[in-house]
Amino acid sequence: ILFLLLLLRFGAILFVYSSEYFYNTMLEENFINSTKIIEKTKSELNDIKRRNSTIIEVKEDAGFFSNVSSKYDKVVQNLDISKQLQLLEKNIEDASRNIINLITIFFVLTILMPIIFLWLLIGTIKLLFKFEIDNKKIIFMLN
């Protein structure tokens, strides 16, 4: 029972340090890169939202003659908008891939690692209870 209690006592500490080591060596760089790409996409979407809101406000304030001159500007911007949309589509695809990476990291750290650790802990406990102490051999060794 003493071995079981020691195993349970230090098993939790071992689990925490092994999870931290696994994260630092295997997953941390991927996590940081994915988070940066998602933040970049978020800021780009906010910039587009801000630009569109200013364009709408300018159109509401403009009169008829300024509206005619803005038609030409609108045609020129449409060409640029198609490039922006292609770039935005690429950024959103990258962000979605990185969101999947973050979900995978979360799954590994919160579900898979504890299950593996519990499996190893249960296996160790089974081995501990299969171990038999033969008192006759101990007495013979002491004599």
Side-chain angles (χ1 to χ4, degrees), residues 49-109:
K49 180 180 176 183
R50 185 179 38 80
R51 276 187 267 142
N52 287 339
S53 65
T54 57
I55 289 172
I56 290 172
E57 290 173 5
V58 168
K59 283 187 178 184
E60 290 175 354
D61 293 339
F64 175 73
F65 291 109
S66 59
N67 193 14
V68 172
S69 65
S70 69
K71 294 288 184 184
Y72 176 75
D73 293 335
K74 185 177 178 182
V75 170
V76 172
Q77 286 179 353
N78 283 339
L79 296 174
D80 190 36
I81 287 175
S82 64
K83 292 178 185 176
Q84 290 177 359
L85 287 176
Q86 290 174 351
L87 181 64
L88 183 63
E89 182 179 330
K90 181 187 175 297
N91 288 339
I92 289 174
E93 287 175 7
D94 290 341
S96 63
R97 273 191 233 107
N98 287 299
I99 288 171
I100 292 171
N101 285 341
L102 291 176
I103 291 170
T104 304
I105 291 170
F106 176 77
F107 176 77
V108 167
L109 289 178

Side-chain angles (χ1 to χ4, degrees), residues 16-26:
V16 170
Y17 283 120
S18 64
S19 294
E20 184 71 22
Y21 179 76
F22 181 72
Y23 172 76
N24 288 336
T25 57
M26 300 266 192

